[in-house]
Amino acid sequence: MNPFRSPRVAAILLLAAAGCGILLANTPASGLAFDVQHARLGIAGTPFLLDVGEWIADGLLAVFFFTVAVELQFELTSGQLRSARNALLPAIAAAGGVVVPIVVYLAVAAPAGLARGWPVPTATDIAFALGVLAVAGRGLPPRVRVFLLALAILDDIVGIVFIAVLFAHGLHVGMLLLALALVVAFGVCARALGRRGSRLLVAAMLVLAAGAWAAMLASGIHATIAGVLLGLAVAQQPGLRAAHVLEPWVNGLVLPLFALSAALVAIPRTGALSPVFWGIALALPVGKLLGIAGAAQLAQRALRVAPSERIRFPDLVAAGALGGIGFTVSLLLAGLAFADDAALRDQAVLGVLCGSLAALVVAVFVVSWRARVHRRQTA
């Protein structure tokens, strides 16, 4: 088995890459690292002149969002979220895991006039969540694992919507319509590919996907949304095959490169940390845990879930702790929310890293404890 398909390996690589980014940004090598990150590549005078960091966040990360969207499409059509009944509990929990962190962030940062960072602590990193489950979750009941996976996927949907709606700039309607047309053509080719394999069709799909990404970038909407739309448009079987092929590259290259680039942040020497930092660093581990666990517990009672089918409150706490690991999507949201202020962006990134690390530690402890309890009960 390819080691880069392992959720455990993916989580370790993400954490190591983020650590390397922080170290590089705070050593004598920082000048070279920042020069590489800000080196401009592309076609002058067009939207396609980006620096290396932007190519990673806008380009490579679109591949990650494509694989997430393929998984989302599968869950909505053939998986655990295909029925409203199965999706309702994780949806309510996800809503709590969005609203409460926003409230925590605003309580800390809004009085300082820094409310615009409220979307940052709303995301859950599905790669990290699965990694913690792989390391510490052996013995958890299937319904708890399904709930956690559905919760993480729904959280990703929220992050995607925020990226698409909140961070569009200078919208070019013509380019947006072109991007959508290319996505539709991509979906038509994918369905034809499902009926008969053809290298020509695969080549056409690659060209259409690249064109959709370029048109989305030129439209003023964040280019990763192209990856989402392509993942939702592709036929299920070709999409699952493509996601399977891309998985080692996403885990071994795309996400670590993004984590490395996003974590290139110089730690303030004065020790003065902004309310942006504290708002995010508290909202991720505390707001997510309280929001997810509390909303899910109330929802089980309101929906009158049978006692034998309920997820126990300590298991909901484990889910809430996992939900606080924002990382990938939160780092992207941090860069977008404070794109016009490098100092605040760095504070937001530090908040994401510290808050996610705190949630990671709590999640490993709580998930390990609950897994031991369930293994004893099974035995």
Side-chain angles (χ1 to χ4, degrees):
M1 177 182 174
N2 190 325
F4 294 116
R5 295 192 187 281
S6 165
R8 184 181 310 182
V9 171
I12 291 170
L13 284 176
L14 267 178
L15 194 59
C20 287
I22 287 284
L23 287 175
L24 276 175
N26 294 278
T27 64
S30 61
L32 176 60
F34 285 120
D35 286 345
V36 171
Q37 185 188 41
H38 297 303
R40 304 286 280 176
L41 299 172
I43 305 170
T46 72
F48 311 109
L49 181 62
L50 306 173
D51 62 36
V52 171
E54 289 171 333
W55 278 113
I56 292 171
D58 291 10
L60 286 181
L61 210 59
V63 180
F64 163 70
F65 276 103
F66 171 82
T67 60
V68 169
V70 168
E71 183 175 11
L72 171 61
Q73 184 205 119
F74 173 80
E75 292 297 333
L76 289 172
T77 57
S78 306
Q80 296 297 326
L81 300 181
R82 67 184 182 277
S83 73
R85 177 179 174 82
N86 289 344
L88 192 54
L89 179 61
I92 293 172
V98 170
V99 172
V100 177
I102 290 173
V103 171
V104 172
Y105 175 84
L106 290 176
V108 175
L114 298 169
R116 69 181 185 274
W118 63 264
V120 179
T122 59
T124 293
D125 191 297
I126 193 168
F128 256 120
L130 293 178
V132 172
L133 282 179
V135 172
R138 184 176 61 85
L140 287 177
R143 67 174 178 272
V144 176
R145 288 177 172 272
V146 168
F147 172 78
L148 289 170
L149 179 60
L151 176 68
I153 290 171
L154 291 167
D155 253 9
D156 273 342
I157 295 174
V158 173
I160 289 164
V161 170
F162 285 160
I163 292 167
V165 174
L166 299 177
F167 301 112
H169 55 86
L171 183 63
H172 191 298
V173 176
M175 295 306 294
L176 176 59
L177 292 175
L178 175 59
L180 295 176
L182 292 172
V183 168
V184 171
F186 176 87
V188 171
C189 288
R191 278 150 184 79
L193 184 66
R195 293 191 295 271
R196 62 184 191 278
S198 166
R199 291 184 179 180
L200 184 60
L201 273 175
V202 171
M205 288 173 63
L206 291 174
V207 172
L208 289 168
W213 176 87
M216 191 66 72
L217 178 66
S219 75
I221 293 178
H222 200 269
T224 53
I225 298 302
V228 176
L229 295 178
L230 291 166
L232 293 175
V234 71
Q236 190 171 104
Q237 290 308 313
L240 291 172
R241 288 197 299 270
H244 182 75
V245 170
L246 291 170
E247 184 182 35
W249 295 97
V250 169
N251 290 344
L253 180 66
V254 172
L255 292 180
L257 267 180
F258 174 71
L260 176 66
S261 175
L264 280 174
V265 174
I267 298 174
R269 305 297 181 190
T270 61
L273 292 169
S274 161
V276 167
F277 168 85
W278 291 111
I280 296 170
L282 288 172
L284 278 171
V286 177
K288 278 284 188 182
L289 190 154
L290 294 177
I292 291 171
Q297 182 72 353
L298 291 174
Q300 289 190 125
R301 294 181 179 179
L303 297 172
R304 297 180 180 177
V305 177
S308 60
E309 297 179 3
R310 286 185 184 179
I311 299 174
R312 297 176 185 176
F313 186 70
D315 293 330
L316 295 176
V317 171
L322 280 171
I325 309 172
F327 217 79
T328 305
V329 180
S330 285
L331 287 173
L332 180 59
L333 288 168
L336 293 172
F338 298 103
D340 59 343
D341 191 321
L344 287 178
R345 183 187 64 235
D346 288 354
Q347 293 274 344
V349 169
L350 284 174
V352 171
L353 295 175
C354 291
S356 295
L357 183 59
L360 176 64
V361 172
V362 173
V364 169
F365 174 79
V366 179
V367 170
S368 299
W369 164 54
R370 293 307 301 164
R372 283 196 306 270
V373 169
H374 285 294
R375 286 199 301 271
R376 284 200 300 267
Q377 290 176 344
T378 302

mmCIF file of all heavy atoms in Angstrom, residues 321-350:
data_model
loop_
_atom_site.group_PDB
_atom_site.id
_atom_site.type_symbol
_atom_site.label_atom_id
_atom_site.label_comp_id
_atom_site.label_asym_id
_atom_site.label_seq_id
_atom_site.Cartn_x
_atom_site.Cartn_y
_atom_site.Cartn_z
ATOM 1 N N ALA A 321 -13.870 18.070 19.836
ATOM 2 C CA ALA A 321 -12.427 18.321 19.909
ATOM 3 C C ALA A 321 -11.779 18.146 18.539
ATOM 4 O O ALA A 321 -10.939 18.949 18.123
ATOM 5 C CB ALA A 321 -11.789 17.378 20.920
ATOM 6 N N LEU A 322 -12.166 17.100 17.807
ATOM 7 C CA LEU A 322 -11.639 16.899 16.447
ATOM 8 C C LEU A 322 -12.037 18.060 15.537
ATOM 9 O O LEU A 322 -11.257 18.481 14.677
ATOM 10 C CB LEU A 322 -12.168 15.592 15.866
ATOM 11 C CG LEU A 322 -11.475 14.307 16.315
ATOM 12 C CD1 LEU A 322 -12.252 13.096 15.823
ATOM 13 C CD2 LEU A 322 -10.050 14.256 15.777
ATOM 14 N N GLY A 323 -13.246 18.572 15.714
ATOM 15 C CA GLY A 323 -13.711 19.676 14.881
ATOM 16 C C GLY A 323 -12.893 20.935 15.050
ATOM 17 O O GLY A 323 -12.870 21.792 14.163
ATOM 18 N N GLY A 324 -12.209 21.080 16.182
ATOM 19 C CA GLY A 324 -11.400 22.270 16.423
ATOM 20 C C GLY A 324 -10.093 22.306 15.666
ATOM 21 O O GLY A 324 -9.392 23.322 15.682
ATOM 22 N N ILE A 325 -9.755 21.206 14.986
ATOM 23 C CA ILE A 325 -8.516 21.191 14.198
ATOM 24 C C ILE A 325 -8.838 21.828 12.844
ATOM 25 O O ILE A 325 -9.205 21.161 11.892
ATOM 26 C CB ILE A 325 -7.980 19.751 14.024
ATOM 27 C CG1 ILE A 325 -7.891 19.051 15.386
ATOM 28 C CG2 ILE A 325 -6.623 19.763 13.347
ATOM 29 C CD1 ILE A 325 -7.551 17.570 15.288
ATOM 30 N N GLY A 326 -8.729 23.138 12.770
ATOM 31 C CA GLY A 326 -9.120 23.855 11.559
ATOM 32 C C GLY A 326 -8.117 23.701 10.432
ATOM 33 O O GLY A 326 -8.428 23.320 9.318
ATOM 34 N N PHE A 327 -6.912 24.032 10.677
ATOM 35 C CA PHE A 327 -5.754 23.879 9.817
ATOM 36 C C PHE A 327 -5.992 24.289 8.360
ATOM 37 O O PHE A 327 -6.123 25.459 8.081
ATOM 38 C CB PHE A 327 -5.185 22.469 9.916
ATOM 39 C CG PHE A 327 -3.682 22.473 9.839
ATOM 40 C CD1 PHE A 327 -2.941 22.812 10.950
ATOM 41 C CD2 PHE A 327 -3.021 22.195 8.661
ATOM 42 C CE1 PHE A 327 -1.553 22.862 10.880
ATOM 43 C CE2 PHE A 327 -1.642 22.248 8.583
ATOM 44 C CZ PHE A 327 -0.911 22.579 9.693
ATOM 45 N N THR A 328 -6.071 23.330 7.398
ATOM 46 C CA THR A 328 -5.971 23.678 5.971
ATOM 47 C C THR A 328 -6.953 24.767 5.551
ATOM 48 O O THR A 328 -6.547 25.828 5.060
ATOM 49 C CB THR A 328 -6.196 22.427 5.100
ATOM 50 O OG1 THR A 328 -5.286 21.415 5.498
ATOM 51 C CG2 THR A 328 -5.962 22.761 3.636
ATOM 52 N N VAL A 329 -8.257 24.534 5.711
ATOM 53 C CA VAL A 329 -9.247 25.512 5.247
ATOM 54 C C VAL A 329 -9.187 26.776 6.104
ATOM 55 O O VAL A 329 -9.351 27.893 5.587
ATOM 56 C CB VAL A 329 -10.656 24.894 5.249
ATOM 57 C CG1 VAL A 329 -11.695 25.902 4.781
ATOM 58 C CG2 VAL A 329 -10.697 23.657 4.354
ATOM 59 N N SER A 330 -8.917 26.645 7.404
ATOM 60 C CA SER A 330 -8.791 27.826 8.261
ATOM 61 C C SER A 330 -7.588 28.683 7.855
ATOM 62 O O SER A 330 -7.660 29.914 7.880
ATOM 63 C CB SER A 330 -8.664 27.414 9.729
ATOM 64 O OG SER A 330 -9.903 27.003 10.249
ATOM 65 N N LEU A 331 -6.481 28.039 7.483
ATOM 66 C CA LEU A 331 -5.318 28.799 7.010
ATOM 67 C C LEU A 331 -5.659 29.553 5.730
ATOM 68 O O LEU A 331 -5.254 30.709 5.543
ATOM 69 C CB LEU A 331 -4.137 27.860 6.764
ATOM 70 C CG LEU A 331 -3.436 27.309 8.008
ATOM 71 C CD1 LEU A 331 -2.392 26.270 7.614
ATOM 72 C CD2 LEU A 331 -2.779 28.426 8.818
ATOM 73 N N LEU A 332 -6.387 28.904 4.836
ATOM 74 C CA LEU A 332 -6.803 29.573 3.604
ATOM 75 C C LEU A 332 -7.723 30.752 3.914
ATOM 76 O O LEU A 332 -7.550 31.854 3.371
ATOM 77 C CB LEU A 332 -7.511 28.573 2.690
ATOM 78 C CG LEU A 332 -8.009 29.099 1.344
ATOM 79 C CD1 LEU A 332 -6.863 29.660 0.520
ATOM 80 C CD2 LEU A 332 -8.725 28.001 0.575
ATOM 81 N N LEU A 333 -8.690 30.548 4.811
ATOM 82 C CA LEU A 333 -9.605 31.626 5.189
ATOM 83 C C LEU A 333 -8.865 32.774 5.874
ATOM 84 O O LEU A 333 -9.210 33.946 5.689
ATOM 85 C CB LEU A 333 -10.700 31.087 6.105
ATOM 86 C CG LEU A 333 -11.748 30.190 5.434
ATOM 87 C CD1 LEU A 333 -12.598 29.474 6.473
ATOM 88 C CD2 LEU A 333 -12.636 30.999 4.498
ATOM 89 N N ALA A 334 -7.841 32.445 6.667
ATOM 90 C CA ALA A 334 -7.050 33.482 7.333
ATOM 91 C C ALA A 334 -6.355 34.368 6.301
ATOM 92 O O ALA A 334 -6.325 35.602 6.427
ATOM 93 C CB ALA A 334 -6.023 32.847 8.269
ATOM 94 N N GLY A 335 -5.772 33.739 5.287
ATOM 95 C CA GLY A 335 -5.110 34.513 4.239
ATOM 96 C C GLY A 335 -6.075 35.384 3.456
ATOM 97 O O GLY A 335 -5.725 36.497 3.034
ATOM 98 N N LEU A 336 -7.299 34.908 3.256
ATOM 99 C CA LEU A 336 -8.288 35.677 2.503
ATOM 100 C C LEU A 336 -8.893 36.806 3.346
ATOM 101 O O LEU A 336 -9.095 37.921 2.855
ATOM 102 C CB LEU A 336 -9.400 34.745 2.019
ATOM 103 C CG LEU A 336 -8.988 33.697 0.973
ATOM 104 C CD1 LEU A 336 -10.131 32.713 0.735
ATOM 105 C CD2 LEU A 336 -8.590 34.365 -0.328
ATOM 106 N N ALA A 337 -9.189 36.519 4.613
ATOM 107 C CA ALA A 337 -9.850 37.515 5.464
ATOM 108 C C ALA A 337 -8.956 38.725 5.729
ATOM 109 O O ALA A 337 -9.451 39.850 5.871
ATOM 110 C CB ALA A 337 -10.275 36.873 6.784
ATOM 111 N N PHE A 338 -7.647 38.499 5.787
ATOM 112 C CA PHE A 338 -6.718 39.592 6.096
ATOM 113 C C PHE A 338 -5.699 39.776 4.976
ATOM 114 O O PHE A 338 -4.536 40.087 5.225
ATOM 115 C CB PHE A 338 -6.018 39.310 7.432
ATOM 116 C CG PHE A 338 -6.949 39.234 8.605
ATOM 117 C CD1 PHE A 338 -7.303 38.008 9.149
ATOM 118 C CD2 PHE A 338 -7.501 40.390 9.146
ATOM 119 C CE1 PHE A 338 -8.172 37.930 10.226
ATOM 120 C CE2 PHE A 338 -8.383 40.319 10.224
ATOM 121 C CZ PHE A 338 -8.715 39.095 10.769
ATOM 122 N N ALA A 339 -6.166 39.597 3.750
ATOM 123 C CA ALA A 339 -5.266 39.700 2.594
ATOM 124 C C ALA A 339 -4.645 41.087 2.466
ATOM 125 O O ALA A 339 -3.548 41.231 1.908
ATOM 126 C CB ALA A 339 -6.025 39.345 1.317
ATOM 127 N N ASP A 340 -5.326 42.115 2.988
ATOM 128 C CA ASP A 340 -4.836 43.487 2.830
ATOM 129 C C ASP A 340 -3.953 43.947 3.990
ATOM 130 O O ASP A 340 -3.518 45.097 4.012
ATOM 131 C CB ASP A 340 -6.025 44.442 2.691
ATOM 132 C CG ASP A 340 -6.958 44.393 3.903
ATOM 133 O OD1 ASP A 340 -6.868 43.410 4.674
ATOM 134 O OD2 ASP A 340 -7.771 45.323 4.082
ATOM 135 N N ASP A 341 -3.691 43.083 4.950
ATOM 136 C CA ASP A 341 -2.893 43.466 6.125
ATOM 137 C C ASP A 341 -2.000 42.288 6.518
ATOM 138 O O ASP A 341 -2.459 41.340 7.166
ATOM 139 C CB ASP A 341 -3.819 43.854 7.284
ATOM 140 C CG ASP A 341 -3.073 44.515 8.444
ATOM 141 O OD1 ASP A 341 -1.945 44.062 8.752
ATOM 142 O OD2 ASP A 341 -3.609 45.465 9.037
ATOM 143 N N ALA A 342 -0.726 42.352 6.126
ATOM 144 C CA ALA A 342 0.188 41.228 6.344
ATOM 145 C C ALA A 342 0.368 40.921 7.824
ATOM 146 O O ALA A 342 0.464 39.748 8.219
ATOM 147 C CB ALA A 342 1.544 41.518 5.703
ATOM 148 N N ALA A 343 0.413 41.958 8.674
ATOM 149 C CA ALA A 343 0.627 41.731 10.104
ATOM 150 C C ALA A 343 -0.556 40.983 10.718
ATOM 151 O O ALA A 343 -0.367 40.022 11.482
ATOM 152 C CB ALA A 343 0.844 43.068 10.822
ATOM 153 N N LEU A 344 -1.769 41.407 10.384
ATOM 154 C CA LEU A 344 -2.946 40.720 10.921
ATOM 155 C C LEU A 344 -3.078 39.324 10.329
ATOM 156 O O LEU A 344 -3.512 38.388 11.021
ATOM 157 C CB LEU A 344 -4.210 41.539 10.629
ATOM 158 C CG LEU A 344 -4.404 42.808 11.457
ATOM 159 C CD1 LEU A 344 -5.657 43.543 11.029
ATOM 160 C CD2 LEU A 344 -4.457 42.483 12.952
ATOM 161 N N ARG A 345 -2.704 39.167 9.059
ATOM 162 C CA ARG A 345 -2.741 37.832 8.453
ATOM 163 C C ARG A 345 -1.814 36.880 9.199
ATOM 164 O O ARG A 345 -2.176 35.732 9.483
ATOM 165 C CB ARG A 345 -2.335 37.912 6.984
ATOM 166 C CG ARG A 345 -2.423 36.566 6.250
ATOM 167 C CD ARG A 345 -1.865 36.651 4.855
ATOM 168 N NE ARG A 345 -0.448 36.952 4.871
ATOM 169 C CZ ARG A 345 0.118 37.961 4.231
ATOM 170 N NH1 ARG A 345 -0.610 38.813 3.531
ATOM 171 N NH2 ARG A 345 1.419 38.163 4.295
ATOM 172 N N ASP A 346 -0.622 37.366 9.546
ATOM 173 C CA ASP A 346 0.315 36.523 10.293
ATOM 174 C C ASP A 346 -0.242 36.168 11.667
ATOM 175 O O ASP A 346 -0.082 35.039 12.149
ATOM 176 C CB ASP A 346 1.664 37.237 10.439
ATOM 177 C CG ASP A 346 2.433 37.288 9.123
ATOM 178 O OD1 ASP A 346 1.971 36.673 8.141
ATOM 179 O OD2 ASP A 346 3.484 37.948 9.073
ATOM 180 N N GLN A 347 -0.893 37.145 12.317
ATOM 181 C CA GLN A 347 -1.508 36.873 13.623
ATOM 182 C C GLN A 347 -2.617 35.821 13.482
ATOM 183 O O GLN A 347 -2.750 34.928 14.327
ATOM 184 C CB GLN A 347 -2.095 38.168 14.191
ATOM 185 C CG GLN A 347 -1.065 39.213 14.569
ATOM 186 C CD GLN A 347 -0.527 39.034 15.974
ATOM 187 O OE1 GLN A 347 -1.107 38.328 16.790
ATOM 188 N NE2 GLN A 347 0.597 39.667 16.273
ATOM 189 N N ALA A 348 -3.403 35.928 12.402
ATOM 190 C CA ALA A 348 -4.477 34.956 12.176
ATOM 191 C C ALA A 348 -3.902 33.566 11.929
ATOM 192 O O ALA A 348 -4.424 32.566 12.439
ATOM 193 C CB ALA A 348 -5.339 35.396 10.998
ATOM 194 N N VAL A 349 -2.832 33.485 11.136
ATOM 195 C CA VAL A 349 -2.193 32.191 10.864
ATOM 196 C C VAL A 349 -1.653 31.580 12.151
ATOM 197 O O VAL A 349 -1.827 30.376 12.409
ATOM 198 C CB VAL A 349 -1.070 32.348 9.816
ATOM 199 C CG1 VAL A 349 -0.223 31.078 9.734
ATOM 200 C CG2 VAL A 349 -1.672 32.661 8.456
ATOM 201 N N LEU A 350 -1.005 32.392 12.979
ATOM 202 C CA LEU A 350 -0.506 31.889 14.267
ATOM 203 C C LEU A 350 -1.665 31.402 15.135
ATOM 204 O O LEU A 350 -1.552 30.389 15.829
ATOM 205 C CB LEU A 350 0.266 32.988 15.001
ATOM 206 C CG LEU A 350 1.678 33.294 14.505
ATOM 207 C CD1 LEU A 350 2.242 34.506 15.237
ATOM 208 C CD2 LEU A 350 2.596 32.093 14.698
#
